[in-house]
Amino acid sequence: MSDATLNVMQPARLPRVLVSILNWNGTAKTLACLDSVKNEVAVAPADVTTLVIDNGSRDEEAAALSAALVARDVVLKCLPQNLGFTGGHNVAIELAIREGYDYIWLLNNDSTVELGTLRELVAELQAHARCGAVSPVLRDIHDGHIARCVNYHDWDKRKTRLILDIEEARRFQDAHPEEVWVDGTAVLYRVQALKDTGPLDDRLFAYYDDDDISMRLVKHGWMVRCALNATVFHENRKELEEFPLYLVYLLQRNEMLFLDTHTPPAYRRLLRLKLVDKAMYDAVRYREYGRYTYSDAALLGMWDYLRGRFGPPAHQRKVPLFLRTACMLAQRVYAIKNANARKVSRRGLAPEQHQST
């Protein structure tokens, strides 16, 4: 038998996939997520390793997690402190690169996976050689409605636009592959693409890391896609009361950093002024709703962006007096502008509320 015949008869190598799940004081959620991942490993056309990273949990939580994983086919790595979403998953990304994995699946521990999802994600990457990242459709874990699918940035308005209709999402990502970004809840990345871009941006700690890595992938010539036949169920905050203060801080700071970093040249005129204007307006709106601690967290997020202070959240400190004074003055200015807009509206012209400069 010839060498050529031997080569034909040898089965193709299964792609190696590293699943990375972060745990931070959420053992019950992590175990439920692992239950759904276990089913995936059994049916996925891949050689799958599941890695759980305990991200500096309390001692009792870390001990409970370690005990629960003894009987599972899971690798556990414990970090001495919380490195955030970015730092925790970067430990796994470095491992995937070092040990030659083909793909790495960053999966939130508050999600559960519908059977066959990993198979669909792997197939999407294999079908598109320049696809660097693929997400499933994300559905609300309580009601099953689509929460995230295909997203794109409206640079002129400095907003994210969500496409939640499957057919519209299909048309958009086929027509505009360079504009798509996906939520970071359950993204399967091609390791080669992460070699090109570098890991997640540790300055962010958490939030806007998915926007950022999607943009960096596109800038390096990779596509970002959504596998529209794959589903992951995920918890979604719906009420303001569900947002912890560190989240308000990180969203404000990281949105400004993201837009400052990635806004295309055609939309950068007076960009920093516009970002500060919007941040101040958001802080004012929190005050108007009586959410003074939220307002303070947003102000500190804005201030740390301007000072170039990044990393873990730093919202548990007093707002400088000058910044609080500026917020109160801005509140009066926005009130006057909105009152004038209402007067214009009563004269029969289109109503308009305050927008960024």
Side-chain angles (χ1 to χ4, degrees):
M1 187 177 293
S2 68
D3 290 343
T5 304
L6 284 172
N7 290 336
V8 169
M9 293 176 61
Q10 291 177 352
R13 181 182 70 86
L14 290 175
R16 297 182 66 210
V17 178
L18 180 65
V19 181
S20 176
I21 301 172
L22 296 185
N23 177 78
W24 181 60
N25 300 317
T27 298
K29 291 180 180 180
T30 297
L31 294 178
C33 179
L34 285 170
D35 286 340
S36 65
V37 171
K38 179 181 178 181
N39 296 330
E40 286 299 289
V41 172
V43 301
D47 177 8
V48 183
T49 301
T50 303
L51 170 67
V52 175
I53 298 177
D54 185 74
N55 213 0
S57 295
R58 297 186 300 270
D59 289 345
E60 62 273 20
E61 279 280 342
L65 178 66
S66 179
L69 296 184
V70 168
R72 294 174 181 254
D73 186 16
V74 172
V75 178
L76 173 64
K77 183 174 181 61
C78 295
L79 303 179
Q81 64 187 50
N82 185 357
L83 301 183
F85 184 92
T86 57
H89 277 313
N90 278 343
V91 170
I93 290 172
E94 291 167 6
L95 175 66
I97 292 173
R98 185 171 65 250
E99 297 196 0
Y101 282 87
D102 299 292
Y103 309 131
I104 180 169
W105 196 14
L106 307 187
L107 187 61
N108 278 24
N109 73 326
D110 59 350
S111 61
T112 57
V113 181
E114 186 174 79
L115 189 62
T117 291
L118 181 55
R119 180 178 61 243
E120 294 289 340
L121 297 181
V122 169
E124 192 78 15
L125 288 182
Q126 291 178 331
H128 299 87
R130 292 304 297 176
C131 182
V134 59
S135 169
V137 175
L138 301 179
R139 293 182 179 272
D140 188 276
I141 202 167
H142 300 295
D143 60 26
H145 291 162
I146 295 177
R148 286 296 183 96
C149 186
V150 167
N151 315 312
Y152 68 97
H153 295 105
D154 182 342
W155 298 111
D156 187 38
K157 300 295 184 183
R158 296 171 298 284
K159 292 182 179 295
T160 285
R161 304 299 184 187
L162 310 181
I163 302 176
L164 302 181
D165 177 80
I166 294 294
E167 289 309 314
E168 183 183 353
R170 191 187 312 279
R171 290 191 295 269
F172 185 89
Q173 74 173 1
D174 288 343
H176 307 282
E178 75 288 350
E179 295 184 35
V180 173
W181 74 273
V182 292
D183 186 271
T185 299
V187 182
L188 183 68
Y189 291 94
R190 192 186 299 270
V191 171
Q192 181 57 54
L194 293 177
K195 288 181 182 179
D196 289 349
T197 63
L200 303 178
D201 189 342
D202 261 339
R203 294 179 300 171
L204 298 168
F205 191 79
Y207 305 104
Y208 278 89
D209 47 89
D210 41 13
D211 300 66
D212 174 76
I213 192 66
S214 292
M215 288 301 303
R216 286 193 282 135
L217 284 165
V218 169
K219 289 177 181 178
H220 281 80
W222 296 96
M223 291 187 297
V224 177
R225 293 180 61 83
C226 182
L228 300 171
N229 294 323
T231 297
V232 163
F233 295 93
H234 182 230
E235 293 184 359
N236 294 286
R237 296 183 177 95
K238 296 182 175 67
E239 304 295 334
L240 184 60
E241 291 77 7
E242 299 178 84
F243 282 68
L245 290 178
Y246 72 81
L247 174 57
V248 175
Y249 167 91
L250 287 172
L251 287 176
Q252 182 61 75
R253 185 195 70 184
N254 292 353
E255 178 188 41
M256 298 177 81
L257 175 59
F258 169 77
L259 290 171
D260 192 12
T261 302
H262 293 290
T263 297
Y267 302 97
R268 296 192 66 87
R269 183 175 179 272
L270 301 177
L271 178 61
R272 278 206 157 194
L273 177 61
K274 294 174 182 177
L275 295 179
V276 170
D277 180 42
K278 180 183 179 298
M280 193 65 76
Y281 186 63
D282 290 344
V284 165
R285 291 299 300 274
Y286 283 131
R287 291 181 63 85
E288 290 174 344
Y289 286 119
R291 302 288 181 177
Y292 297 103
T293 55
Y294 284 50
S295 178
D296 287 352
L299 287 172
L300 289 170
M302 176 193 72
W303 180 230
D304 284 351
Y305 151 75
L306 291 171
R307 295 193 303 161
R309 178 176 178 173
F310 302 108
H315 59 286
Q316 294 178 322
R317 65 189 203 271
K318 292 186 66 174
V319 177
L321 179 60
F322 81 90
L323 201 56
R324 195 183 298 276
T325 302
C327 184
M328 290 187 288
L329 291 174
Q331 187 171 8
R332 296 180 64 182
V333 171
Y334 297 145
I336 293 170
K337 291 183 70 173
N338 287 335
N340 289 337
R342 285 191 290 271
K343 289 178 182 178
V344 171
S345 176
R346 285 195 292 271
R347 290 199 297 268
L349 300 178
E352 181 177 332
Q353 293 295 304
H354 171 81
Q355 294 183 358
S356 295
T357 305

